[in-house]
Structure formats: C-alpha cells, structure tokens
Amino acid sequence: MTRKTARDFPPDVLKLFDQFVHGDIDRRGFVDGAKRLTIGAAAAGAFLDELLPRFAEAAQVEKNDPRIAGETLEIPSPDGYGKVKGYFVHPAKVEGKLPTVLVIHENRGLNPHIEDIARRLALENFVVLAPDALAPLGGYPGDEDKARALFPQLDQAKTRNDFIAAYGALKNCPIGNGKVGAIGFCYGGGVVNFLATKLPDLAAGVPFYGAQPAAEEVAKIKAPLLIHYAESDERINAGWPAYEAALKAAGTHYQTFIYPGVQHGFNNDTTPRYDQAAAALAWKRSVDFFNAHLRA
C-alpha cells in the first residue's frame, strides 16, 4: 500500500486532526467536524484511522539491535513526583566519555516512536535518556487515545521537575562527558524551551515545533538553540515573533528553520503528517548541532 502524506488530506481535516492530537476535541468532535467537510461519517472516520500513528511500520532501530544497549532507569525526583522513569540507551561499545541527550516526548508519553528516536540518537554515539512523564500515572498505556486522556491529569509543575531531575541524572552519568543537550517534539519542544530558561548549564537545546517560553524568561537562556518549525502550523507559529524578538534582545545564540509546506509533527514518521525531506534535513541539522556543542 502506498503510504499517504499530508497532501492526501484536505487542509481543514489536518487542522481538525491537530486539535484532536492536542486534546482540544475528542474522536466524536473530529468525526463531526470532518463530516461537514467530507461526504459523510464513513469518510470522516476513515480519515482519522489513516492519520493515526503506525509505530511498527516506521520503526528504524529495533530494541534488540546489537549496536545499542538499553534499559529502564528509575531516578529520584524529590521536587517532582518522587521518582521519574525513563528509557536509557547508549552504544553497545562505549569508548571514553560520551555526550548525553535528553529526549522529551509529545503529549502522549514515552510511546514507541520516541523510544525509536532515542535509539537513533544512540546510534549517533550519544548517551540518551527519554523520560516518561506518564510514569506517575502508570506509564505510557500502549494506546494513544488513553495516553492523550491521561496527560491532562499530570501536575505540570511536578512533571517539569521530573525532567529537571532526568537532566541531572545525565549530567552526572558515569559514561557521560558532563555535557547535556535536550531535544523535544511538540509538548517536548515546549519543555526544551522551558528547560533552557531554568538550566544555565544546558549545553544545547533543539525544540521541534514547541510552545515558546514567556518573553520575560528568555533572558535566562544561556544554551545555544536550534529551533525547528513547520510552515503550516499557525497555532505554534503564532508565538514565534515574540520569542524571536526576546531572543534577539537577550543576545541568545540561536538558529531557526521554518520548513516550507509542512505540517506540525512533520518529524513524526508514524503518521501522514511526516515529511521525509524536511525530517531528514532537520535530523541532520540536529545531530550536527549536538556534535558541535556537546563534543567540543
């Protein structure tokens, strides 16, 4: 079967899907909205089924790949939920101290796609930790709808402190070189922006289409940033002008790329919003950025 892309869906249906993914509407809300744009309920339901993630089809690195070693870690988080669990993965053969990267998921917790992202970074010779914000609620439930429903139940102040605790674990990792970068997607991109305002020794931040921090917090950012946006992402892009102005005023070292014609979530290769060319370019830029700032 030919893999569908964003171009196979009406733009207004993609906007509805973005609302669905971010919890603004439920399945019924999507179907009802799509029915008004398509030929009926069957077509609307089919659109949703076609847009949902297909993890197995997109996986690039298997968990048992002999080139990597992975395990679940439990890290104390006294200012968060008490402890934070995460997927810890690194090259199977570690030579010397390696740079470390914190991977922060979207608003569904540590799903198979984000675990795969962590393994891809391990193959780039990084030590990687991907925490699961849903761990205090039982962890990623294996179902995207259930995960999305759980997410609003989190105390975000505690969750953010859990990510700070995970950062600390990487900072002090015995096989790490003491330099930590952070990469995040959607919700996780917003967390990367937040961490940059709270962690003066964060060595590099790479937010993908993430919510921007308050302008008054931007002056606290010391880390260099590589910021990725999708051109067709009105919701997130609305906050970029103020963020850019604050970054310039603060003299922050940053690069921004807005990828033309692509949707929010273009890096997520489990759904049709994925754009192969943009994702490949953004990934290369991200790995090069980490290499430049975490290995020197």
Side-chain angles (χ1 to χ4, degrees):
M1 182 181 296
T2 302
R3 183 169 182 167
K4 290 201 171 186
T5 71
R7 290 180 289 277
D8 295 311
F9 300 88
D12 286 341
V13 167
L14 292 173
K15 289 181 180 179
L16 279 173
F17 184 68
D18 190 68
Q19 294 176 46
F20 170 72
V21 167
H22 294 96
D24 297 325
I25 58 175
D26 59 12
R27 279 177 171 266
R28 180 176 293 277
F30 177 92
V31 171
D32 288 346
K35 280 195 306 188
R36 294 191 289 270
L37 302 169
T38 62
I39 58 175
F47 274 144
L48 183 55
D49 290 340
E50 291 168 345
L51 284 163
L52 292 174
R54 286 169 169 74
F55 296 122
E57 295 174 19
Q60 295 187 22
V61 187
E62 297 298 329
K63 276 193 174 183
N64 60 356
D65 190 305
R67 297 171 294 174
I68 59 172
E71 61 181 308
T72 298
L73 288 187
E74 192 170 283
I75 299 158
S77 179
D79 296 322
Y81 273 102
K83 60 185 177 183
V84 56
K85 290 184 179 180
Y87 180 45
F88 181 66
V89 59
H90 54 79
K93 295 180 180 179
V94 176
E95 299 179 3
K97 301 284 189 177
L98 295 182
T100 66
V101 178
L102 186 68
V103 175
I104 306 172
H105 53 64
E106 300 156 311
N107 67 328
R108 275 94 68 203
L110 185 58
N111 64 19
H113 168 65
I114 297 300
E115 290 185 342
D116 193 53
I117 290 286
R119 291 192 289 271
R120 296 177 204 177
L121 281 168
L123 288 182
E124 298 287 353
N125 209 31
F126 295 100
V127 174
V128 185
L129 178 60
D132 186 358
L134 288 176
L137 303 178
Y140 176 71
D143 178 278
E144 291 286 280
D145 284 350
K146 291 178 181 177
R148 191 180 300 108
L150 282 174
F151 219 77
Q153 299 177 32
L154 290 170
D155 180 328
Q156 284 299 321
K158 290 182 178 181
T159 296
R160 288 180 169 188
N161 282 331
D162 282 347
F163 286 119
I164 291 173
Y167 163 85
L170 279 180
K171 184 78 174 172
N172 297 299
C173 178
I175 61 174
N177 68 357
K179 291 188 176 183
V180 184
I183 187 170
F185 307 89
C186 186
Y187 167 82
V191 173
V192 171
N193 285 323
F194 163 77
L195 292 177
T197 70
K198 297 299 181 184
L199 301 170
D201 53 353
L202 181 70
V206 181
F208 275 73
Y209 29 81
Q212 301 84 4
E216 60 270 19
E217 295 291 307
V218 174
K220 300 176 184 177
I221 297 176
K222 305 303 179 186
L225 299 176
L226 176 64
I227 305 168
H228 301 293
Y229 288 120
E231 183 183 48
S232 301
D233 189 3
E234 296 175 5
R235 178 178 56 85
I236 290 297
N237 293 354
W240 171 236
Y243 191 20
E244 182 179 35
L247 289 168
K248 288 180 176 178
T252 306
H253 175 71
Y254 74 96
Q255 293 176 274
T256 305
F257 294 98
I258 300 176
Y259 296 84
V262 303
Q263 299 285 325
H264 180 94
F266 72 82
N267 187 74
N268 188 332
D269 51 1
T270 71
T271 83
R273 295 195 295 179
Y274 170 65
D275 186 280
Q276 184 176 16
L281 180 56
W283 182 257
K284 183 181 186 306
R285 285 169 169 166
S286 300
V287 171
D288 289 348
F289 188 75
F290 282 145
N291 282 330
H293 292 284
L294 303 183
R295 298 191 194 276

